[in-house]
Amino acid sequence: MKTVVSRDTIYVGHVVKPLQFFKALQDGIDGDGYSLRSGQLRVNKSHIVRSMLFTITEDGFANDLLYKSPLYPILNKASVKDCQASDFVVEHPVRISGLLSRNNIGKFLTLKDLKLIRKNIFSAGYLIKNSERFGMLQVLAPSGVEDEPDFDIEVKGFTREVFPPVKYYYAAGATFIRTDDADIPQQYWKVLSDHITDVPGMLKTDCFTPSNYDEGKIAKRLKLK
């Protein structure tokens, strides 16, 4: 019998190496663009080590679904003591059940299903192909331009005039503008763009693979437990 995991318990987040911890003084958005509540723990990280697909233990630790990793404490879910005692913490945990259900992923997943999700959904190709479902329209815009006062952009083979202000969003090696028509909640757009495994024009990488340099040798998980 295959071991399975419930779709509703699956999260994605970043394994980070913190320099120091401090508490937010007010509600707002952190430096990575994620919402933050007053009193929540924040981390000044030395760098992001990798991405992780995981479930959450009762004590607020991340149980890696793809690799046999240590149980890293999750920021603002595990205790402050556990977070401060660990060399690594998991930051910005986002439950992705809504994203998976909108892609016709069943309620229970095997390890094979999780590997396909990592390969297919967390990819630049998926983000570009399905951008309009997120309310993001791919355009051709000048490289590096954040807000251009007035110029023509090419959209799907035809040109139209765009008036100010125009905000551009960059993901998967492409440029997008936001629209009001979204089939998939737009917060998932950022989640996916933060965990893309293959960006065109860059070295092929898998952001979910453990870092031998930071974490040491971690064995591949053969089955879910």
Side-chain angles (χ1 to χ4, degrees):
M1 181 177 178
K2 293 182 179 179
T3 307
V4 296
V5 60
S6 169
R7 180 185 67 194
D8 295 338
T9 64
I10 299 173
Y11 289 75
V12 66
H14 279 131
V15 177
V16 302
K17 193 172 184 178
L19 288 173
Q20 62 182 141
F21 297 90
F22 55 98
K23 287 189 177 181
L25 299 178
Q26 60 185 14
D27 294 352
I29 304 296
D30 70 9
D32 297 316
Y34 289 86
S35 61
L36 189 71
R37 292 193 297 274
S38 176
Q40 282 191 322
L41 204 62
R42 292 191 59 183
V43 58
N44 180 9
K45 54 181 172 287
S46 57
H47 66 277
I48 296 175
V49 175
R50 64 178 172 104
S51 299
M52 182 189 283
L53 280 176
F54 59 92
T55 57
I56 299 177
T57 70
E58 292 182 358
D59 297 328
F61 285 72
N63 179 35
D64 195 337
L65 291 174
L66 297 172
Y67 296 90
K68 195 172 183 179
S69 308
L71 293 175
Y72 297 135
I74 302 169
L75 212 62
N76 297 307
K77 291 188 179 294
S79 71
V80 174
K81 182 179 179 181
D82 285 332
C83 289
Q84 292 177 333
S86 178
D87 291 333
F88 305 98
V89 298
V90 175
E91 190 179 34
H92 303 139
V94 178
R95 187 165 64 173
I96 59 172
S97 56
L99 174 66
L100 298 180
S101 65
R102 285 172 172 82
N103 283 276
N104 300 315
I105 305 296
K107 291 185 177 181
F108 297 97
L109 293 83
T110 65
L111 179 58
K112 181 179 180 180
D113 295 326
L114 293 171
K115 288 181 178 178
L116 289 175
I117 288 169
R118 173 178 66 174
K119 179 180 178 181
N120 297 329
I121 293 182
F122 287 95
S123 72
Y126 173 85
L127 207 60
I128 292 174
K129 181 179 178 180
N130 294 279
S131 61
E132 292 187 39
R133 295 187 65 194
F134 295 91
M136 304 296 285
L137 191 63
Q138 185 178 0
V139 299
L140 298 180
S143 176
V145 172
E146 288 291 338
D147 293 279
E148 181 70 15
D150 186 9
F151 76 100
D152 288 345
I153 60 174
E154 185 178 330
V155 181
K156 286 193 170 179
F158 66 89
T159 301
R160 67 178 183 178
E161 191 173 9
V162 175
F163 295 95
V166 178
K167 175 66 178 176
Y168 299 102
Y169 301 84
Y170 303 98
T175 307
F176 304 85
I177 57 175
R178 187 186 297 273
T179 71
D180 295 327
D181 187 17
D183 169 43
I184 302 176
Q186 288 184 336
Q187 60 263 32
Y188 286 126
W189 173 268
K190 175 169 178 54
V191 171
L192 287 181
S193 64
D194 281 354
H195 298 279
I196 287 177
T197 60
D198 57 337
V199 179
M202 297 181 66
L203 293 175
K204 186 166 183 174
T205 60
D206 184 346
C207 62
F208 291 94
T209 303
S211 165
N212 289 336
Y213 176 80
D214 287 301
E215 301 174 274
K217 188 174 181 181
I218 292 177
K220 290 186 177 181
R221 183 181 292 274
L222 299 178
K223 61 181 179 180
L224 298 176
K225 294 183 179 180

